[in-house]
Every structure is written in C-alpha cells, then in structure tokens.
Amino acid sequence: MTRSVFVSRDLYTRLRALRYLLPLAVFGAVVAYEVVGFFFFRSLPELVPTLLDLLLYSTIGPIVIWFTINWIAQRIEETDRALAAKEQAEQEQRRALEAAREQERLLAAVCSNSADAILTLDNNGIIKTWNRGAEMMFGYTADEVVGKHFRLLLPPELEAQGEVEWLAREVLKQGYIRNYQTERVAKDGRRVIVDLTRTLLYNEKGEVIGSSASLRDITERVRAEQAIQQLNLELETKVAERTAQLATATEELRRRNRELEKANQELKKLDELKSEFVSMVSHELRAPLTNINGSIELLLSGDSPCYDRSHRELLQIISEQSARLTRLVQGILNVSRIEAGQLVLQPQAFDIVALIEKVLGVWESRGVAHPFEHPRAQNVPSVWADRDRTEEVLFNLIDNAIKYSPEGTPIRLEVETDGKFAKVSVSDRGIGIPADEVEKIFDKFHRVDRSDRAETYGHGLGLYICRRLIEAQGGQINVESVLGEGSTFWFTLPLAGRSEDEVMPSVRRQTGGRR
C-alpha cells in the first residue's frame, strides 16, 4: 500500500460534512443577498446592484472556494504526514520486533547448545527445559528429565541436609544465587562438582513463574585445587620438619662453633706460649752461641802447635754448624717478632740498584761458583723501604738461588719500574719448583720435596720471612718457575715520593706506628 491512498477516517468525516454544509452556506448567502437587495437596493441606480452582483459572484465566491479547497489540501497533507509517520513508526516497530525475535532465537541457540547445563524450573522445582550442555554433563536426555523434580540430580546427603529448601528460600529472598559450589549426581552415578547460578523468572505482570539454573562443571578445577592444597600441606609439613632439622643442626653448629672457639682460644694461648717459649729459648741460645762462635773464631785465628790439620778441620766444622744454628735462632727470633707485631721498620728513600750492587759484591767476595749478571737498568727512581730489611731479603733470595742451582750456572738480577713500584727479580737456572708447590713455597717451615733436600740445608723460614718483610713495606713477592729450567723470584717496593698512607699502610699494623 502506497502513501497516496492513505486517507484517515477523520478527514473523510469532515469532507462529508463539508459536502452538505458548503452548498447550504452558498445558498443561504445568495438568499440573504437577494433579500437585502430587494428591500434596500431597489431605490439605487441599476448600475449599483450590477456592481454588487459582480463583486459577490466574481470575487467573494472564488475566494471562498479557494479557502475551502486550500483548507482541504492542508488537511490532506497533515493526514498524509501523520500516516507516513505512523508507517515509519510501524516499520521501526517491526524491525525492533524482528531484532528482538532474532535475539531470542540467538539466545535460545546459545542456551540450547551451551557447554554449561542450562535448565528452567517452575515454582515447584519441576524441570521445564533441558539443554544440550545438561545432557553432556549429566547423561540424561531431555525426555528423561523434563517434567521431573530436580531432586533427581541431588546427592542423598545434600537432600537430607535440606539443600532444596535452602535454595528455594535464598532465591526468593535475593532474587538469585550466584557462584554457589555444590555437587550433583550424573546418570551413571558420577559425582559432578558444579558452580550453580540460579535466577527467578517473572511474567509480564511481575509474578514469579519459576527460575532458571546454570551449572558449570568445575570438577577438574576443584580436584586440581584440592591436589594443590594437599601438596601445599605436604610441603608445609616438610618445611616444618626441615626447619626443625635446620634448627637442630643450627644449634649443633652453634655448639660446635662454641667448642671450636674455645679450642681456638686454647690454641691461641698455646701458640702464644709456644712463641714465648721459642723466643725465650732463642734468646737463651743466642748468648751461648755467640760465646761459642767467638771462642771458635779465636781458636781458628791462633797458631798454637797443638793444632794439627785434623784439629783445625774439626774446629772449622764446629764453626760452620754453630753459624748455621745461629742463623736458625735468628730466623726464629725474626718470625717471633713478626707474628708478635714487634717488627720495627725504618723506611727511607734509597737507591735499590746500588743496594743490589753492594749485596752482589759481598757474594762475589766469597768466591761462590756462580757468575752474577748485574742489573742493566739505569736512572731507577729511589724506593721507599727499610734498607736493612730489603738487604736481608736480597741475601736470602740470592742464597736460595746459589743453593738450588748447579755450579757454574749464572744468576741474573734485574730491576724495572712501572711508575709506582720498583720490581726486583732474582733468576736462576736450577731444577725449578713443581706447580703444586708454588702456592706453598712462602709458607712457614715449608720446604720443597726434592731429591737434593738432604744435601741442601734449609729450615723453611727464609722465604716466609721475606714475604712478611716485603708485605710489611707495602710490596708483593712471588715466584715464577718452570720445572727443569729454573725459577725467578721477584718482589716489589713502592717508589719514593708517594704518601706513606698510600704505600705502607701495613707497616703501622705490624709495628704499631713505630718506625
């Protein structure tokens, strides 16, 4: 139906009335005009009535007709617009109704094919609808459950506890129940843990007509959570047990630490007693040894006829052994002073190359069977150290090189600087030191296990004293050795001109600030 044929009943009623009223109105107007003309226009000239007739019939008549037709046209347009608006409203209503129906069909499809169980109940708890998700979850078809009470799905113990009545009360009280965890029984007797959401349904009058229920299977999730909780409980138990064990072990460790601390204190006391004893014995030995050495020196310097060659050889042996014993006593005294923190250093600036030349001159004067290669370095800056202690270190390193090198092999001394330290090295071509012995070579009383140990005398204190003397002066000492090719012992000393706090911080620790 098109817009041109739409005519309202109201407009049609008006046109019917106008069909009768308009002729009657024209007829009444003409009669009134003729009556007035008969009584009032008779005495006027004939031209005046003619003009009045012309005015009435040719002007006022068409005007009335125009207004009448215009009014009809306006009413028709208004009616047409109203009908068009009504048609548009009806079309929109039809589209809305179709959309609502489509949404209902979609919602029905979703509910019907949802993986969750969705069912509706009447006010008595009778199942009215049963979707595909419910069939999959519980194993019942719609024909098997529709029309039956939902008690069919309840475990006996929950029904005995009154869950049916409780659910009914809660739904009526709040209008819904959301995320309520409970259990249901499937057709095969399997227990299904579900997350239940239940909502009241109303009709158009607002009356409760039943409820909808949505059930989601959370059996696997709950069992996983329970397993995790069980694991957590077991872990907590193990942690508690382990904590108790650790507490016991900690207490045992503390007890042992106390015992070790006590033993360490006793060892410190024993070490102090040992040091005091060794120092005392060394002091007591040094005096008679001095007298023995002096007496032997006097005997060897005499020309008494009672001294034959064998007697003089015996005196020479006694002198050498007494000197060796004196060196041992002096070494022990030096170790005792170092460990007791009584080492006295007198640092000063001096020429290290000149000191090396002096020491080499002493050794060369003794006629040793080794040639010496003197330092080639020139214009070496002065070092800041204790001259006498440095000389002692040089004597010890050269003495070791002589002892552990084949006769006739050269011994080389070198000096080099890096702007902060002077490095002095003593190299020999002896049998070398095994790699596993290098780390222990500077330990107290340590001697390298070698085949010539019985032939080469040493008490294992020389390198230990050298290390302590060099470290006390802010330097370092070490060795580089290749087995079968020789060894190079080197040490560093700080150059003069740097602050004492920077170059010799350990001196004050060793000497208590004395110099």
Side-chain angles (χ1 to χ4, degrees):
M1 186 178 293
T2 62
R3 290 177 53 186
S4 60
V5 299
F6 284 129
V7 179
S8 69
R9 183 178 298 276
D10 181 60
L11 178 61
Y12 180 71
T13 302
R14 292 182 181 183
L15 289 176
R16 286 183 61 187
L18 186 62
R19 182 175 59 183
Y20 296 104
L21 292 176
L22 184 60
L24 290 175
V26 172
F27 175 75
V30 171
V31 170
Y33 175 75
E34 290 298 331
V35 170
V36 171
F38 178 77
F39 290 102
F40 295 99
F41 298 153
R42 181 180 299 178
S43 60
L44 294 176
E46 185 178 355
L47 181 60
V48 173
T50 301
L51 292 176
L52 290 174
D53 291 341
L54 181 63
L55 176 64
L56 177 64
Y57 294 113
S58 64
T59 303
I60 297 176
I63 291 174
V64 171
I65 293 172
W66 181 86
F67 275 107
T68 301
I69 295 174
N70 184 56
W71 179 84
I72 293 172
Q74 289 178 352
R75 299 288 80 75
I76 291 174
E77 289 177 359
E78 289 176 359
T79 302
D80 194 22
R81 285 196 297 269
L83 290 175
K86 182 178 180 181
E87 181 185 7
Q88 184 177 1
E90 289 177 351
Q91 289 178 352
E92 291 178 356
Q93 186 177 3
R94 285 195 298 272
R95 285 195 294 269
L97 183 60
E98 184 62 29
R101 289 175 179 172
E102 181 63 25
Q103 188 174 7
E104 288 178 358
R105 288 193 295 271
L106 179 61
L107 184 59
V110 170
C111 292
S112 176
N113 297 285
S114 173
D116 293 338
I118 301 175
L119 52 147
T120 57
L121 311 172
D122 64 11
N123 290 331
N124 296 319
I126 303 300
I127 299 174
K128 306 300 290 183
T129 62
W130 183 263
N131 76 332
R132 183 171 175 272
E135 293 183 5
M136 296 171 58
M137 187 177 300
F138 298 108
Y140 292 103
T141 63
D143 294 337
E144 293 175 310
V145 295
V146 171
K148 296 181 180 180
H149 200 280
F150 78 93
R151 294 176 188 271
L152 174 70
L153 304 175
L154 258 69
E157 65 272 14
L158 293 183
E159 184 175 359
Q161 294 172 8
E163 183 173 291
V164 174
E165 294 75 11
W166 181 84
L167 286 173
R169 288 195 304 271
E170 290 298 314
V171 171
L172 287 175
K173 183 191 303 182
Q174 302 182 26
Y176 64 90
I177 291 177
R178 181 180 298 167
N179 303 128
Y180 173 64
Q181 182 174 315
T182 184
E183 282 191 2
R184 293 293 181 261
V185 180
K187 183 178 180 180
D188 56 4
R190 174 174 45 88
R191 293 294 183 100
V192 182
I193 303 175
V194 297
D195 184 345
L196 170 65
T197 298
R198 188 167 169 183
T199 308
L200 288 180
L201 299 177
Y202 300 89
N203 60 13
E204 296 177 354
K205 298 179 181 180
E207 299 173 345
V208 176
I209 60 173
S211 61
S212 66
S214 174
L215 300 94
R216 173 166 295 179
D217 187 353
I218 57 172
T219 305
E220 295 299 326
R221 188 189 78 186
V222 171
R223 288 177 180 171
E225 291 175 352
Q226 291 173 348
I228 292 173
Q229 291 175 356
Q230 181 64 29
L231 287 175
N232 287 336
L233 182 60
E234 293 176 359
L235 286 175
E236 289 175 0
T237 303
K238 291 181 179 180
V239 167
E241 293 175 355
R242 186 59 178 166
T243 302
Q245 294 174 358
L246 288 176
T248 303
T250 302
E251 184 60 30
E252 178 66 18
L253 183 61
R254 288 174 180 172
R255 185 184 64 79
R256 293 186 179 182
N257 283 339
R258 289 193 295 268
E259 293 177 354
L260 288 174
E261 186 176 355
K262 183 178 179 181
N264 188 41
Q265 295 295 331
E266 293 175 355
L267 287 175
K268 285 183 179 179
K269 291 180 180 179
L270 289 175
D271 192 56
E272 291 175 359
L273 291 174
K274 179 204 70 173
S275 299
E276 292 176 0
F277 174 75
V278 170
S279 179
M280 179 190 69
V281 172
S282 299
H283 277 289
E284 294 298 324
L285 287 175
R286 188 168 59 174
L289 283 174
T290 302
N291 294 331
I292 292 171
N293 289 332
S295 300
I296 293 174
E297 186 177 353
L298 289 174
L299 289 173
L300 288 175
S301 63
D303 295 327
S304 174
C306 66
Y307 298 151
D308 58 16
R309 181 176 181 181
S310 61
H311 291 161
R312 187 171 292 276
E313 289 178 355
L314 290 175
L315 288 174
Q316 187 66 39
I317 293 173
I318 293 172
S319 176
E320 290 175 357
Q321 297 303 316
S322 178
R324 192 166 76 179
L325 184 57
T326 302
R327 289 194 297 271
L328 174 60
V329 170
Q330 186 60 44
I332 293 174
L333 285 174
N334 285 336
V335 171
S336 298
R337 292 192 189 98
I338 291 172
E339 292 182 346
Q342 297 175 352
L343 179 64
V344 178
L345 296 177
Q346 295 179 342
Q348 58 180 315
F350 63 89
D351 187 345
I352 186 65
V353 177
L355 180 63
I356 294 173
E357 294 292 347
K358 173 188 173 184
V359 173
L360 289 178
V362 172
W363 280 106
E364 288 174 340
S365 67
R366 296 180 180 179
V368 295
H370 293 272
F372 291 101
E373 296 181 6
H374 292 245
R376 292 171 293 180
Q378 298 180 355
N379 300 322
V380 176
S382 298
V383 298
W384 181 264
D386 187 306
R387 184 185 182 93
D388 294 336
R389 298 299 184 183
T390 305
E391 184 177 344
E392 183 178 345
V393 172
L394 283 170
F395 263 102
N396 198 311
L397 295 180
I398 294 173
D399 182 51
N400 283 344
I402 293 172
K403 286 180 182 178
Y404 299 105
S405 299
E407 291 186 2
T409 57
I411 296 174
R412 185 178 73 255
L413 281 86
E414 291 290 345
V415 180
E416 57 187 33
T417 62
D418 61 0
K420 294 183 179 180
F421 292 88
K423 181 179 180 181
V424 180
S425 58
V426 179
S427 304
D428 62 59
R429 296 183 183 176
I431 61 175
I433 303 171
D436 57 344
E437 296 281 353
V438 171
E439 294 295 328
K440 301 179 287 185
I441 195 69
F442 293 99
D443 292 346
K444 184 168 55 176
F445 296 116
H446 180 79
R447 294 195 65 206
V448 178
D449 188 11
R450 54 182 10 133
S451 59
D452 62 347
R453 182 170 181 178
E455 300 175 1
T456 305
Y457 169 75
H459 44 69
L461 290 177
L463 290 177
Y464 171 76
I465 294 173
C466 290
R467 177 173 66 87
R468 296 300 297 266
L469 290 176
I470 292 299
E471 290 177 352
Q473 299 181 89
Q476 294 180 344
I477 187 169
N478 212 330
V479 62
E480 299 170 0
S481 182
V482 178
L483 198 62
E485 296 183 8
S487 304
T488 298
F489 284 84
W490 56 266
F491 64 88
T492 61
L493 290 173
L495 297 177
R498 302 171 64 194
S499 67
E500 186 175 348
D501 289 339
E502 180 183 2
V503 301
M504 297 182 68
S506 60
V507 173
R508 289 184 297 281
R509 291 199 299 270
Q510 293 285 352
T511 65
R514 293 160 36 191
R515 291 183 299 191

